[in-house]
Amino acid sequence: MESLLFLFTILLMVVYYLLTGPMRDNFKDAKAPTQKEQAFLLAGLGLLYVVKGSPVDLLAHLTFSAHMVQMALLYLVIPPLIIKGIPVWLWRSFLRIKLFHRIFKVMTFPLVAIILFNFVFSMYHLPIVFDTVKSHWLLHGSMTISIFTLSLFMWWNMLDRLKEWATLSALQKIGYIFLGSVLLTPACALLIFATNPLYSTYTDPQAWTQALALCVPVEILQNTNIGTPDMFQMLPITQDQQLGGVLMKIMQEIVYGIVLFRVFFSWFGKESEKIDPLPKDFSVSKEPQPSE
């Protein structure tokens, strides 16, 4: 799986280079991507490989807290990097395609985007859903892609990549960010306040081994005495589970806080510009003093 993801990441980089380089003359209003855009895109794709294709993915199958850090990076950090890494002219060309335009129109509607992402993410972490998804590679891959796609739609409204698609005012965007923070709280609270382990894929040896097969070749699992789940836990399983909920909430608050800070000061700067400055030749006139 790691090699396939590596090849997929390289393929995406090659496609990006071709579309923004030799082939960009085929697009309307195209120009070379800025260094910042290239840096965002490379950082997003590089982090994607680290999170899903490196030993970090294995660690996420061994400890639940590592899994939640992986989720935070995958859905809260990587999507805005990729969105900002794609030039605006390429976004416009993409959205001129009727099918994609219609999908984006519906899925980026603010309430739809923010509720759908948080609902699916929360449902995924219900024990019965989580253990089922973690045990089947097709379900696991489909769920990961689905939540990642929903995270892109959610982030689209925060970043205003295209002015004509900016539907939220600054104050509405602040409310949108607060709503996103609130909607993720129940999923984190489920983990933080649970007094018993919730997931058999981190406690039951058979379910745990089946989940490991998603990132470890089956022949290695069959020919190696890999041990039991508790052998890899630095904390008791319940405490590790609680730590995962705390880490997810903290990372969300940090990321959303940064976006909120930028939105607020951008709005404050625009409001300040509306105030007419004093004329340059303005001076306070003094009333003549009465003569004695």
Side-chain angles (χ1 to χ4, degrees), residues 9-82:
T9 304
I10 295 298
L11 176 62
L12 289 178
M13 290 182 179
V14 171
V15 170
Y16 179 82
Y17 165 74
L18 291 175
L19 292 178
T20 60
M23 297 176 61
R24 70 169 177 262
D25 291 339
N26 298 318
F27 298 92
K28 183 180 179 181
D29 300 325
K31 57 183 179 180
T34 64
Q35 291 184 347
K36 184 180 290 187
E37 288 172 337
Q38 292 175 328
F40 278 135
L41 196 283
L42 292 176
L45 292 180
L47 191 56
L48 175 63
Y49 175 74
V50 170
V51 167
K52 292 297 294 181
S54 74
V56 171
D57 190 42
L58 174 60
L59 184 61
H61 284 79
L62 297 176
T63 65
F64 187 80
S65 56
H67 161 78
M68 292 307 286
V69 172
Q70 182 190 47
M71 294 293 98
L73 293 173
L74 189 58
Y75 303 133
L76 300 178
V77 177
I78 295 174
L81 291 176
I82 291 179

Side-chain angles (χ1 to χ4, degrees), residues 89-160:
W89 56 265
L90 190 54
W91 275 119
R92 287 193 175 99
S93 298
F94 175 74
L95 291 172
R96 286 191 187 102
I97 301 173
K98 288 186 178 180
L99 176 62
F100 294 130
H101 182 93
R102 290 172 181 172
I103 292 173
F104 257 68
K105 198 70 175 177
V106 173
M107 298 302 293
T108 60
F109 185 78
L111 282 179
V112 172
I114 198 75
I115 291 175
L116 262 184
F117 168 76
N118 286 283
F119 175 76
V120 176
F121 181 87
S122 298
M123 291 298 294
Y124 170 53
H125 285 92
L126 291 177
I128 188 172
V129 177
F130 187 90
D131 288 333
T132 302
V133 169
K134 276 280 192 178
S135 302
H136 299 83
W137 69 268
L138 182 58
L139 289 176
H140 185 259
S142 300
M143 181 63 78
T144 301
I145 294 172
S146 297
I147 300 178
F148 184 78
T149 303
L150 291 174
S151 72
L152 289 172
F153 292 138
M154 179 192 69
W155 274 102
W156 182 260
N157 292 301
M158 296 192 209
L159 301 178
D160 288 346

Side-chain angles (χ1 to χ4, degrees), residues 131-249:
D131 288 333
T132 302
V133 169
K134 276 280 192 178
S135 302
H136 299 83
W137 69 268
L138 182 58
L139 289 176
H140 185 259
S142 300
M143 181 63 78
T144 301
I145 294 172
S146 297
I147 300 178
F148 184 78
T149 303
L150 291 174
S151 72
L152 289 172
F153 292 138
M154 179 192 69
W155 274 102
W156 182 260
N157 292 301
M158 296 192 209
L159 301 178
D160 288 346
R161 197 71 178 114
L162 301 179
K163 292 181 179 180
E164 62 269 27
W165 282 76
T167 57
L168 298 177
S169 66
L171 290 178
Q172 289 174 328
K173 199 177 297 183
I174 291 172
Y176 182 87
I177 295 170
F178 273 115
L179 179 61
S181 180
V182 170
L183 289 176
L184 194 67
T185 300
C188 295
L190 172 70
L191 305 170
I192 295 170
F193 297 107
T195 55
N196 297 300
L198 296 176
Y199 307 111
S200 62
T201 44
Y202 288 96
T203 55
D204 179 72
Q206 184 176 356
W208 177 70
T209 303
Q210 191 173 357
L212 278 181
L214 297 177
C215 61
V216 178
V218 176
E219 56 271 17
I220 294 179
L221 292 175
Q222 292 175 343
N223 299 324
T224 305
N225 182 15
I226 198 168
T228 57
D230 56 302
M231 292 176 59
F232 298 91
Q233 298 288 337
M234 297 181 64
L235 295 171
I237 292 177
T238 301
Q239 292 182 17
D240 183 69
Q241 183 177 273
Q242 294 169 340
L243 176 62
V246 171
L247 289 174
M248 181 68 190
K249 190 59 182 172

